[in-house]
């Protein structure tokens, strides 16, 4: 088991945002969390990556309990998070942004190799490597945010709403890259409001409703499920 989240509870002040979420990532798969606005998708990712401390439950990664570790330690363990709204450093150029993703690494040669791999996934970033991040389009910034996360050489990648606000062509491009990155051996948890996209990429999925897992199963099965079709696929 790569990651196991066991009955985590999370509060913002006194308000419960997660009321006992359990999920697993077994191996090199793509797992998705789908759900409406405010269901708790981002909170789940933020809790896994140590940005939010759970008030109950446990999180285990590669046999180690990580729910008491701070965000830097969790990055060190191999979990990288691409946050909602793809926060890149606007005044740094593409290369500088990418290097910030490797800030905990000391293996200079390894970092160079990873950079070449990232450019392999995103040739566009290579072309624009001297360009400031704020001058990139939304889709290019999403690529940069993802590339930066890959620079830490993660063993698990958490992606929050990568398709949000992108044109259909860019969504298609990002989906292709997510698939490619996963094929190269990086497991992912993909959070999406675009359930159609998420279920087409993932092998397993969880449906979050107001801080609870309402439903889980093989992505193919969820795609056929009546409730999912009505509530999330606009059928
Ligand atoms: N910083 C915060 N302070 C207080 N409440 C918060 C905070 N962040 C999230 N919440 C609340 O926690 C709940 C879960 O929010 P979360 O952002 O995890 O949902 P989400 O599924 O990611 O939604 P969206 O699809 O809109 O991104 C919501 O009720 C939200 O209002
Ligand atoms: Mg969110």
């Amino acid at each position: 088991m790569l990651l196991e989240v066991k009955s985590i509870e999370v509060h913002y002040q006194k308000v419960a945002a997660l009321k006992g979420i359990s999920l697993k990532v077994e191996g090199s798969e793509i797992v998705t969390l789908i759900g409406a606005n405010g269901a708790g998708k981002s909170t789940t990712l933020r809790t896994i990556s140590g940005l939010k401390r759970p008030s109950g439950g446990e999180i285990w990664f590669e046999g180690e309990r990580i729910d008491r570790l701070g965000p830097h330690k969790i990055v060190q363990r191999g979990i990288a998070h691409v946050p909602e709204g793809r926060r890149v450093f606007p005044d740094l150029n593409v290369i500088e942004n990418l290097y910030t993703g490797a800030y905990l690494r000391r293996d200079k040669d390894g970092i160079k190799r990873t950079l070449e791999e990232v450019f392999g996934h995103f040739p566009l970033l290579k072309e624009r490597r001297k360009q400031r991040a704020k001058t990139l389009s939304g889709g290019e910034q999403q690529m940069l945010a993802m590339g930066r996360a890959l620079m830490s050489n993660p063993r698990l990648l958490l992606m929050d709403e990568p398709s949000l606000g992108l044109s259909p062509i860019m969504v298609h491009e990002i989906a292709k890259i997510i698939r490619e990155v996963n094929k190269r051996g990086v497991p992912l948890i993909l959070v999406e409001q675009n359930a159609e996209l998420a279920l087409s990429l993932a092998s397993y999925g969880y449906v979050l409703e107001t801080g609870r897992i309402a439903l889980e199963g093989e992505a193919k099965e969820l795609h056929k499920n009546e409730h999912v079709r009505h509530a999330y696929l606009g059928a």
Side-chain angles (χ1 to χ4, degrees):
M1 189 70 56
L2 185 67
L3 177 81
E4 192 165 9
V5 172
K6 295 181 181 174
S7 310
I8 52 165
E9 290 165 24
V10 173
H11 291 79
Y12 289 105
Q13 279 83 43
K14 294 244 156 74
V15 183
L18 304 185
K19 304 165 188 165
I21 296 281
S22 297
L23 60 89
K24 287 176 186 172
V25 180
E26 301 213 354
S28 60
E29 59 190 336
I30 300 181
V31 167
T32 187
L33 308 183
I34 58 178
N37 281 121
K41 305 181 299 295
S42 299
T43 301
T44 303
L45 294 192
R46 292 172 54 79
T47 308
I48 295 170
S49 62
L51 297 168
K52 186 79 187 142
R53 181 75 52 103
S55 38
E58 298 177 3
I59 305 175
W60 291 77
F61 182 66
E62 296 188 316
E64 182 192 9
R65 188 165 172 189
I66 61 163
D67 52 87
R68 305 280 166 74
L69 301 179
H72 297 299
K73 294 266 188 253
I74 291 181
V75 173
Q76 256 170 352
R77 299 299 188 276
I79 300 180
H81 186 177
V82 187
E84 197 174 340
R86 38 191 172 263
R87 268 162 270 143
V88 294
F89 296 103
D91 291 315
L92 299 186
N93 69 28
V94 166
I95 284 267
E96 291 162 344
N97 264 282
L98 288 173
Y99 275 120
T100 66
Y103 76 111
L104 289 170
R105 294 177 65 178
R106 294 289 170 267
D107 54 326
K108 276 207 168 133
D109 294 343
I111 295 173
K112 278 210 179 113
R113 266 199 306 280
T114 308
L115 184 66
E116 285 315 310
E117 276 170 37
V118 167
F119 284 151
H121 289 301
F122 306 100
L124 218 129
L125 293 184
K126 189 170 190 178
E127 277 170 37
R128 318 227 147 157
R129 62 188 179 281
K130 290 283 157 68
Q131 204 170 310
R132 280 182 192 217
K134 67 180 173 196
T135 67
L136 300 175
S137 74
E140 290 162 358
Q141 289 187 23
Q142 181 62 55
M143 290 179 183
L144 181 54
M146 201 175 162
R148 185 177 60 187
L150 289 173
M151 287 299 291
S152 68
N153 207 10
R155 286 200 294 284
L156 176 65
L157 189 57
L158 313 177
M159 292 200 69
D160 200 345
E161 309 265 14
S163 80
L164 198 69
L166 302 185
S167 69
I169 292 175
M170 208 31 113
V171 170
H172 185 80
E173 184 63 24
I174 295 285
K176 202 181 87 190
I177 296 165
I178 290 174
R179 231 179 242 124
E180 215 174 88
V181 165
N182 177 248
K183 281 224 175 80
R184 293 275 189 92
V186 184
L188 281 108
I189 300 181
L190 176 64
V191 157
E192 267 294 339
Q193 277 194 43
N194 182 341
E196 189 70 55
L197 172 73
L199 293 174
S200 76
L201 287 168
S203 57
Y204 200 85
Y206 296 85
V207 180
L208 256 73
E209 288 176 2
T210 54
R212 290 198 170 82
I213 307 283
L215 199 63
E216 65 171 276
E218 300 291 326
K220 279 195 199 102
E221 297 303 317
L222 290 179
H223 195 269
K224 284 190 261 181
N225 180 280
E226 271 304 301
H227 173 67
V228 172
R229 295 190 74 75
H230 277 93
Y232 302 104
L233 296 170

